Amino acid sequence: MATLEELESLVIKGKAKKVTAAVQELIDEGADPSETLSTMIDAMGVVGEKFKSGDIFVPEMLVSAKSMKAGVEVLKPYLASDEVGALGTVIIGTVSGDMHDIGKNLVAMMIESKGFNVIDLGVDVPKEKFVEACEEHPEAKIVALSALLTTTMDAMAETVKLLNSQSFRDRIRIMVGGAPVTQEFCDSIGADVFTPDAASAAEMAKTLAGA
Ligand code: B1M
């Protein structure tokens, strides 16, 4: 029988196939999907600490990330809702220069599970692409930006600046987040809302949509 402790260890070690099996086993045995997800998020925190202290390097971080993604795939149906699209459209992406997408994917998944249609522009998204997406989707009410590196916070600021100068600015709310992002930074770049994690981002999106 798989345990959450074992799952954490498997993500840290980057054992994707075993993570897939362990997550399925945990869910089949009645584990809470949110707790299972939190365990994998905690594991990535440990991975980050190990990288920071020089115990592991980029390739190890990458295999851990892949194993977490494999686990999230199994969890998706258990976290999703069947009302997709009812609350409107959200455009999301990780800003230019930044390849981190696990947090952004979680935010997208949680927002979708609240009943939004999510247009995911991916990672390393140039600021102009966010503008194009808003123009292509006049129904979009929220633009959500993620950044994981202190060095890409500038790209987030530039993206917000460009969005703020557009004629469609009044119809969208700009949400920002990611490990180095703070409320103070959000205010300083002229974004509308900062939230610290995927669950609060999804709740906030719902509030912004007036639901
Ligand atoms: Co990178 N990396 N990484 N990395 N990586 C960090 C972020 C780092 C903190 C590790 C460390 O040193 N401790 C560090 C950044 C330091 C800094 O800037 N201060 C770092 C570094 C330095 C780098 C490279 C520069 C390493 C190098 O090449 N020398 C490089 C940069 C590449 C690039 O982007 N240009 C790099 C590369 C990578 C990999 C590709 C190997 C891989 C990413 C794979 C992928 O995402 N597909 C990777 C990983 C896995 C990490 C860590 C270990 C884990 C990130 C993660 O997925 N966490 C990370 C250390 C850490 O986070 N402790 C680290 C789990 C995820 C669920 O959390 O993404 O924070 P997170 O998302 C959270 C919240 O932040 C929030 O909600 C999520 C959960 O609820 N959130 C939002 C996120 N977006 C939001 C948007 C919102 C609201 C909330 O509203 C719109």
Side-chain angles (χ1 to χ4, degrees), residues 26-174:
L26 280 160
I27 294 297
D28 290 347
E29 283 159 8
D32 175 26
S34 301
E35 208 185 327
T36 309
L37 180 62
S38 295
T39 299
M40 293 196 285
I41 294 177
D42 290 348
M44 294 311 288
V46 175
V47 171
E49 288 309 312
K50 282 177 178 276
F51 174 74
K52 208 164 142 188
S53 60
D55 291 340
I56 62 165
F57 300 96
V58 171
E60 286 97 327
M61 267 209 293
L62 199 53
V63 286
S64 290
K66 282 186 177 157
S67 69
M68 165 144 189
K69 281 186 173 185
V72 171
E73 275 308 307
V74 179
L75 277 184
K76 239 180 181 173
Y78 302 94
L79 295 162
S81 106
D82 47 17
E83 293 177 275
V84 174
L87 289 186
T89 298
V90 175
I91 293 166
I92 192 167
T94 303
V95 300
S96 177
D98 202 320
M99 310 304 290
H100 296 85
D101 69 352
I102 296 179
K104 182 264 297 166
N105 293 346
L106 289 182
V107 173
M109 194 173 84
M110 298 282 190
I111 286 181
E112 203 174 71
S113 79
K114 292 284 173 198
F116 288 91
N117 170 40
V118 175
I119 294 167
D120 189 345
L121 302 179
V123 295
D124 188 17
V125 181
K127 56 186 187 227
E128 295 81 9
K129 216 169 157 193
F130 284 103
V131 172
E132 279 166 27
C134 289
E135 286 167 351
E136 277 167 29
H137 298 278
E139 79 285 5
K141 292 187 191 137
I142 297 172
V143 180
L145 308 176
S146 178
L148 256 289
L149 299 169
T150 42
T151 49
T152 53
M153 290 168 79
D154 281 349
M156 180 175 264
E158 286 299 317
T159 306
V160 172
K161 193 175 168 194
L162 186 63
L163 286 167
N164 282 348
S165 70
Q166 304 299 311
S167 56
F168 57 69
R169 178 62 173 98
D170 285 350
R171 86 168 143 86
I172 57 155
R173 299 290 97 196
I174 304 175

